[in-house]
Amino acid sequence: GVAPGTYYLSAFLRDKDKFHSTRQKIEVGESKIDSIVLVMGGGAIIHGRMSTASGAPLPESRISVTLQAVGQEQATEYSYAQVNKDGAFEVANVADGSFTVATNSLESGWFVRSIHVGSEDIFQDGLQVEGGAVKGSLEIVLSNDGAQIEGTVTDNDKHEPLVGVVLKAKADPSTDYNYMRTQSATTDQHGHYVLKDLPPGKYRVTAKLAASGPGTAPVHSEPVFMTVGSREQRKLDFTLTLPKSE
């Protein structure tokens, strides 16, 4: 009763403190598949180190690293580890697959500047675990020299400030592995917003005002592309054309 197509067959086994897994791609056609053999293996052990771009000690907060699987067939798979004071960490029992890498509990003002395995940029290509192994150590660099974009959002007709507009800065190009770099802010009673602690790079910035009631649609701005550097402060204003009331 399985329709033709591409499927991923996964199996997991926990034996006390050990984790075994396997994942196999299966192409289903019109012919019957009589048997599938899955070979269970222990999950990968990923060693890594976290440091700061300036060489200063890590923030005092208790930082952890999370690996979240990408892809519908892997959506519930994740692993995590605490980072030691010297920056070393070890993520154990990681199943084969493609993963985003994120940090948790960073102090305010800090952000992840880069993540690499050798020359591979994890924000662009993701962490690839194949055959129970990765190609090297996971290197995470933190920084606190983020950029800032601020401005106001006004009504295009009356030039009055708009409250509650959501501003979003999304890394450009956007990938499945850098969504956590997206920053958002909401305008205050003066129509003012601040997007802060942005990692240096290029962003796609948009403004959106939610629908005002039944039968109305949200109001979106055209995207603005902006590149910011370390500690740079940029100003960006938006005007939104609101629907005419009848």
Side-chain angles (χ1 to χ4, degrees):
V2 179
T6 300
Y7 296 85
Y8 290 87
L9 185 59
S10 299
F12 307 93
L13 173 65
R14 240 177 232 288
D15 181 13
K16 297 181 180 179
D17 60 341
K18 293 184 179 181
F19 177 77
H20 303 273
S21 68
T22 187
R23 177 172 170 265
Q24 185 172 323
K25 184 177 180 180
I26 307 241
E27 297 291 345
V28 177
E30 299 297 334
S31 302
K32 180 180 178 181
I33 299 176
D34 291 323
S35 63
I36 298 173
V37 177
L38 298 177
V39 179
M40 301 294 288
I45 297 177
I46 300 173
H47 299 277
R49 182 165 295 276
M50 182 178 290
S51 61
T52 63
S54 65
L58 292 173
E60 292 294 331
S61 58
R62 187 166 173 77
I63 306 171
S64 62
V65 175
T66 300
L67 276 54
Q68 175 67 55
V70 172
Q72 186 175 0
E73 72 282 353
Q74 295 177 279
T76 61
E77 298 175 23
Y78 70 94
S79 302
Y80 72 95
Q82 294 289 337
V83 179
N84 298 329
K85 290 184 178 180
D86 64 357
F89 61 89
E90 179 183 287
V91 188
N93 303 325
V94 182
D96 283 7
S98 181
F99 295 84
T100 63
V101 180
T103 59
N104 306 294
S105 304
L106 284 181
E107 289 182 2
S108 177
W110 287 87
F111 61 88
V112 177
R113 189 181 187 93
S114 65
I115 308 177
H116 286 87
V117 171
S119 61
E120 293 185 0
D121 184 348
I122 302 305
F123 279 133
Q124 294 301 313
D125 305 317
L127 178 66
Q128 307 302 322
V129 181
E130 298 177 355
V134 294
K135 295 180 179 179
S137 176
L138 187 60
E139 302 293 332
I140 302 176
V141 178
L142 306 182
S143 183
N144 61 353
D145 60 355
Q148 178 174 293
I149 300 174
E150 68 173 314
T152 57
V153 184
T154 56
D155 176 355
N156 190 44
D157 292 328
K158 300 179 180 179
H159 307 292
E160 295 177 346
L162 293 175
V163 181
V165 178
V166 176
L167 284 296
K168 189 171 290 187
K170 181 181 291 188
D172 183 68
S174 176
T175 73
D176 288 336
Y177 308 105
N178 66 6
Y179 68 87
M180 71 290 295
R181 306 196 90 169
T182 299
Q183 296 275 18
S184 62
T186 304
T187 56
D188 60 18
Q189 67 269 29
H190 305 294
H192 181 253
Y193 74 91
V194 180
L195 292 162
K196 59 182 181 178
D197 301 332
L198 294 167
K202 184 179 180 183
Y203 291 88
R204 180 182 186 271
V205 188
T206 56
K208 175 184 175 182
L209 182 63
S212 58
T216 63
V219 180
H220 299 265
S221 72
E222 290 295 323
V224 175
F225 293 90
M226 179 174 286
T227 300
V228 294
S230 299
R231 300 189 186 281
E232 185 175 6
Q233 296 188 8
R234 300 286 298 274
K235 185 173 178 60
L236 178 61
D237 295 331
F238 285 90
T239 57
L240 297 180
T241 301
L242 304 184
K244 301 289 186 181
S245 57
E246 298 181 357

